[in-house]
Amino acid sequence: MTSQSSHASPILVTGAAGAVGSIGRNVTKMLLAKGHKVRALVRREDERAEALRQLGAQVMQGDLTDLTAMHGAIEGCARVYFGMSVSSDYLTATVNTATVARHHGVEAFVNMSQMTVTQMSITESTDSPQHKLHWLAEQALSWSGLPVVTMRPTVFLDGFFRLFAAQGVRDANELALPMGSGKTSPISGVDVARAVSVVLENPAPHIGQIYNLTGFESADLEHCARVFSEALGRTIHYRDVPLAGWSEKLLRAGVPAHVVKHLSVMTELNKQGRYDRMTDDLFKLTGQKPMSMYDFVKLHAAEFTGGLNGAA
């Protein structure tokens, strides 16, 4: 099936309602804007699902671990984007979706993984249960015979630098994270979605490829705090908080233990320099440089302003 004929067949986008980075939602928007039909799979019917309908997507509700639901979602689709939030059900969801996708003979299966997998093997893992699930999922996909394209982004700007940092920046003018002095190259979820949409539009040249996606620059958190300061027009300091207290706060807020363990391991890997990586894969795919942290903070400035700063 060619890129042109794909307009007649919907592209399945899982996780379309959006979580951290909202990759699925942004992929849906981008593909619709280019004239493609999109079948958007969501976990629940809510205002986000309705917003996707208003954009023109065919919205279906279903669980990635449900065999019947995935038959309904995949049947009639030639291309699939598979992405799922951090979950203990991740491997089950991947294999379930892949099995159904193979049954229906899809021509492309774009899998959202993580860059840490690049440094893992049958003898090398991490203490994160999620990292192991991602590695195993990639093994299963390689055995499946499916036409897979693997995307491995580094740390998301939308997670540690927005979701987990915004309150500290608002209330205390500090970037409070347990990241040590290691460097990282965080990337915007919008940039990752742009790369995914490019592949889904014309997957043939990309089948079997692995793309490691990094952000604008690799830098330590002291540098990141200076970027926040410049973007917000006030002094933001980096405070390297103790991991134990940070993790406990997340648990008290109701974040699942599986997720907290994964995030905690990521902070430890950052201290070890494991995220000090740079590639030009995003530019090769999209022809655009990654969004800088400065531009990202400017874009979301309202979320970083308030608290002690009043109308600053």
Side-chain angles (χ1 to χ4, degrees):
M1 184 176 289
T2 65
S3 178
Q4 184 176 2
S5 64
S6 71
H7 287 258
S9 176
I11 299 172
L12 176 65
V13 176
T14 71
V20 176
S22 302
I23 297 171
R25 186 168 72 241
N26 281 305
V27 168
T28 299
K29 290 179 179 178
M30 292 170 185
L31 291 174
L32 288 170
K34 294 177 181 179
H36 294 274
K37 295 179 180 179
V38 178
R39 184 175 295 167
L41 185 68
V42 300
R43 289 182 62 188
R44 63 181 65 89
E45 287 286 351
D46 56 20
E47 66 279 358
R48 297 176 302 172
E50 184 56 34
L52 292 171
R53 284 194 182 91
Q54 293 300 317
L55 289 173
Q58 175 193 359
V59 177
M60 294 186 67
Q61 186 274 331
D63 190 318
L64 292 167
T65 65
D66 185 301
L67 190 63
T68 301
M70 293 317 297
H71 274 290
I74 293 174
E75 186 173 13
C77 294
R79 303 170 189 179
V80 173
Y81 163 70
F82 177 82
M84 183 182 185
S85 300
V86 175
S87 168
S88 57
D89 289 330
Y90 181 84
L91 182 58
T92 300
T94 304
V95 175
N96 189 65
T97 305
T99 302
V100 178
R102 179 173 178 174
H103 173 78
H104 289 286
V106 302
E107 66 175 17
F109 189 100
V110 181
N111 175 48
M112 183 56 57
S113 188
Q114 295 192 356
M115 188 174 289
T116 307
V117 176
T118 305
Q119 299 170 322
M120 295 172 67
S121 70
I122 193 67
T123 57
E124 297 291 334
S125 188
T126 80
D127 290 331
S128 163
Q130 184 68 26
H131 282 150
K132 185 174 183 180
L133 294 180
H134 271 283
W135 186 82
L136 288 171
E138 285 199 25
Q139 304 311 300
L141 288 174
S142 71
W143 303 332
S144 71
L146 280 168
V148 177
V149 184
T150 302
M151 317 298 282
R152 293 177 178 168
T154 185
V155 178
F156 284 110
L157 280 166
D158 314 75
F160 281 101
F161 294 92
R162 183 183 174 195
L163 181 63
F164 299 129
Q167 183 177 353
V169 174
R170 280 197 309 269
D171 297 347
N173 288 326
E174 63 181 21
L175 197 57
L177 291 166
M179 306 285 275
S181 58
K183 293 182 178 181
T184 186
S185 52
I187 189 168
S188 163
V190 172
D191 282 333
V192 176
R194 188 176 295 114
V196 170
S197 67
V198 166
V199 172
L200 285 169
E201 276 208 284
N202 183 27
H206 308 286
I207 299 301
Q209 297 298 311
I210 296 172
Y211 295 107
N212 294 299
L213 306 176
T214 62
F216 182 77
E217 63 183 340
S218 185
D220 62 24
L221 274 289
E222 294 286 355
H223 174 81
C224 294
R226 291 192 291 272
V227 173
F228 267 74
S229 300
E230 183 181 359
L232 296 175
R234 63 182 200 270
T235 301
I236 307 297
H237 297 283
Y238 168 53
R239 181 164 67 91
D240 183 20
V241 300
L243 177 59
W246 185 80
S247 299
E248 183 60 34
K249 184 177 180 181
L250 292 179
L251 289 169
R252 289 198 304 269
V255 179
H258 176 90
V259 177
V260 174
K261 176 65 175 177
H262 173 61
L263 296 172
S264 298
V265 170
M266 287 184 69
T267 69
E268 292 299 311
L269 294 178
N270 186 78
K271 293 174 185 176
Q272 298 168 20
R274 292 277 289 273
Y275 296 118
D276 186 10
R277 310 268 307 277
M278 287 295 294
T279 77
D280 60 357
D281 285 5
L282 180 74
F283 183 80
K284 288 179 179 178
L285 283 170
T286 68
Q288 297 181 41
K289 292 182 178 180
M291 181 184 296
S292 68
M293 180 172 286
Y294 177 89
D295 288 340
F296 182 85
V297 175
K298 276 288 192 183
L299 183 64
H300 300 286
E303 299 176 48
F304 298 115
T305 304
L308 297 176
N309 306 292

